[in-house]
Amino acid sequence: MRAENRTYRSIGRAHGVTHQRAQQIISGAGRWLVEAARRADPAWSTKIRELLRTRTVISDEELSQTLRDASGVARASLLVAEGLCHPRAWSKELSDHWALKTDALDALLRELAKEAPYRKDELREHATATGIPESLDIRSIMSAAKSPLTLDDSGVWVRRGAKKRDAAYLWLADQGEPRRAEAISEAIGQKAQATTEALRRDNRFRQVRPEGTWALTEWPRDGAYDYSDALEAMIEILTELGPLSRRDLTAELRRRYLVSNSRIHQCLISARVGLTYDGRIGLVERGAISADEKEPRQPDNAVHNEESGLLAFRLKVDKDIARGSGVVVSPWITWRLGLRQAPMERIFTIEGSGRQITFRRGTAAAQMSSVRLEAAERGMALGCELAAILRLEQDTMTIRHVCDPDTCAARSPDS
């Protein structure tokens, strides 16, 4: 009853005792449960702490693999006794996740909001880069009334206090060149005069003279891009200016090329970029020491058992997998595979078929080559879940169909 958030008073009333006595009974049962758990498995609390070592919050579903309890009541009591609590998101308690502090998620959410605006399909990607686990429904969290972000009518995530300016920023970024205030205001649904005044007050925009059009401040002065990607721009800056502090490099890179904080971080793992003896960023070809990527946050769908040499992760079969495209995976997976600079790759052989799957770590993303044939051979359809098990010492790999037979869309009720 307590796990259902009933008060001690209502529990005591239901059982004919005072609320103080109800609290005593529940507290005593909790202490007994902790002692019994430690006798049964002395290392359970260490396992929980290890899971939280690289993550700010963790789902109850994942913890259930360590503390198996169908109802979840005993597990909740043990986790509370261990000092864990439910994190909060914009004052709402997330009862299906756990953390060491109730405000553990708050800083990550505010960091995510600070980097807004985002296109509709970018929010999850940036949330993952910030360290927010994929088990959290970030769209629902960011749609809450107390969230500083909101989904605009045009389908972009903007700050509540700067809706039109954020929408203008994304629209102009998509155009790739300066536009008149009338065109911008038509795109964002605002009067031209109001748009002009809003852009004038926002340092992300500048007016191009004598044309009178509006451009993004971070664009080159001629409004044209000279680079194919952010890494090319970074290499040219370091070639021209020599080693720079991260702050100076970021400022110069943004002056020349439209780039986000997460993309800058990705470029720094390039094998061509490293640190000088005084901590500045420079080119390896000019004496800088190449630095390995720091361990990314572990995703909820992956696990690595170093003792057995196994690394496994789950994926949902989507349209990209079905059409045979490469699969974007968490950089934590490629980091665990030893791919800690870019470009790097490692090949695994599928047991049974002999086909090869390649894992690549680039500066922009971590990828696995197509597993369309493996999914099709195992009778998977869109929405099915597959598990990839990698044996690191043998460089071999197994792929399994791991849907629940009762709910799998690819399997008939009689199978």
Side-chain angles (χ1 to χ4, degrees):
M1 294 172 75
R2 185 62 179 164
E4 296 170 354
N5 290 324
R6 294 277 294 273
T7 64
Y8 290 119
R9 191 172 300 280
S10 68
I11 295 171
R13 191 180 301 118
H15 290 280
V17 297
T18 65
H19 71 276
Q20 294 96 335
R21 181 57 184 149
Q23 184 175 8
Q24 288 172 355
I25 293 171
I26 292 171
S27 298
R31 288 192 297 272
W32 175 90
L33 182 64
V34 170
E35 292 170 2
R38 284 177 179 159
R39 286 195 301 271
D41 181 4
W44 74 265
S45 60
T46 303
K47 294 176 184 177
I48 296 298
R49 293 284 173 171
E50 182 62 23
L51 286 172
L52 282 164
R53 184 176 65 84
T54 57
R55 279 166 283 184
T56 304
V57 297
I58 188 169
S59 67
D60 187 69
E61 180 180 356
E62 183 169 356
L63 289 173
S64 69
Q65 302 303 310
T66 300
L67 290 173
R68 298 184 182 276
D69 170 28
S71 70
V73 175
R75 179 168 60 255
S77 296
L78 289 170
L79 293 175
V80 169
E82 188 61 19
L84 274 67
C85 57
H86 294 305
R88 304 185 74 84
W90 319 126
S91 77
K92 179 184 177 182
E93 187 177 88
L94 304 177
S95 58
D96 56 350
H97 281 75
W98 293 88
L100 292 174
K101 295 181 180 179
T102 56
D103 60 353
L105 192 60
D106 184 69
L108 297 180
L109 292 174
R110 295 194 181 282
E111 181 181 345
L112 180 64
K114 185 179 178 181
E115 292 293 324
Y118 303 112
R119 295 168 184 82
K120 189 174 182 179
D121 57 352
E122 290 179 337
L123 184 65
R124 178 66 263 176
E125 176 188 347
H126 284 269
T128 301
T130 304
I132 298 171
E134 295 183 10
S135 57
L136 284 171
D137 184 353
I138 192 63
R139 179 186 173 94
S140 174
I141 290 174
M142 284 305 188
S143 299
K146 294 188 177 181
S147 166
L149 299 188
T150 184
L151 193 61
D152 188 43
D153 292 338
S154 60
V156 296
W157 290 95
V158 294
R159 294 168 296 168
R160 293 183 186 276
K163 294 180 182 178
K164 296 300 183 182
R165 285 180 288 138
D166 281 356
Y169 175 88
L170 288 178
W171 184 82
L172 203 52
D174 286 339
Q175 299 303 301
E177 59 184 13
R179 289 284 187 265
R180 301 197 68 82
E182 292 79 7
I184 299 173
S185 35
E186 182 180 354
I188 65 175
Q190 187 180 42
K191 292 183 178 180
Q193 183 176 355
T195 298
T196 299
E197 289 304 312
L199 300 187
R200 204 186 305 279
R201 297 193 308 269
D202 194 317
N203 60 14
R204 293 176 296 174
F205 304 90
R206 62 178 174 85
Q207 195 165 26
V208 181
R209 302 293 185 180
E211 295 90 343
T213 54
W214 288 91
L216 297 180
T217 304
E218 57 208 14
W219 284 352
R221 286 291 167 177
D222 61 2
Y225 293 125
D226 298 323
Y227 310 105
S228 60
D229 60 24
L231 179 60
E232 183 183 333
M234 180 180 288
I235 297 298
E236 184 164 317
I237 290 169
L238 295 174
T239 301
E240 291 178 4
L241 305 180
L244 296 170
S245 67
R246 177 158 182 167
R247 180 176 180 178
D248 290 343
L249 176 59
T250 298
E252 181 62 20
L253 185 57
R254 284 182 166 166
R255 189 183 73 81
R256 300 189 187 193
Y257 191 82
L258 181 63
V259 65
S260 64
N261 280 334
S262 59
R263 182 64 182 121
I264 292 173
H265 175 75
Q266 290 167 347
C267 291
L268 293 177
I269 70 169
S270 167
R272 297 188 62 187
V273 178
L275 295 177
T276 61
Y277 70 94
D278 57 358
R280 291 180 296 166
I281 299 168
L283 296 175
V284 171
E285 63 196 50
R286 295 187 176 181
I289 305 299
S290 183
D292 287 347
E293 181 183 21
K294 293 182 179 178
E295 182 175 4
R297 289 184 180 274
Q298 181 178 356
D300 292 336
N301 67 334
V303 63
H304 179 207
N305 188 315
E306 295 186 41
E307 184 177 343
S308 63
L310 294 177
L311 187 150
F313 57 93
R314 297 168 71 103
L315 290 175
K316 183 163 287 188
V317 177
D318 57 15
K319 291 182 179 179
D320 287 335
I321 291 179
R323 71 167 65 100
S325 304
V327 182
V328 175
V329 297
S330 166
W332 180 85
I333 293 173
T334 49
W335 190 92
R336 284 286 173 173
L337 295 180
L339 311 181
R340 299 177 184 180
Q341 292 180 336
M344 293 182 76
E345 66 178 40
R346 185 170 173 181
I347 297 174
F348 286 80
T349 302
I350 297 287
E351 294 182 344
S353 70
R355 286 193 288 266
Q356 293 184 328
I357 301 294
T358 302
F359 289 82
R360 294 184 178 89
R361 185 63 175 102
T363 57
Q367 280 192 316
M368 173 178 70
S369 59
S370 172
V371 290
R372 179 180 63 84
L373 290 176
E374 284 66 30
E377 288 174 353
R378 289 155 183 77
M380 296 186 225
L382 287 177
C384 285
E385 279 204 332
L386 65 82
I389 302 100
L390 282 66
R391 293 167 180 80
L392 305 188
E393 293 183 2
Q394 293 82 23
D395 283 345
T396 59
M397 181 176 176
T398 301
I399 291 180
R400 296 176 182 168
H401 187 178
V402 292
C403 291
D404 184 337
D406 296 330
T407 59
C408 178
R411 296 172 175 167
S412 67
D414 297 328
S415 62

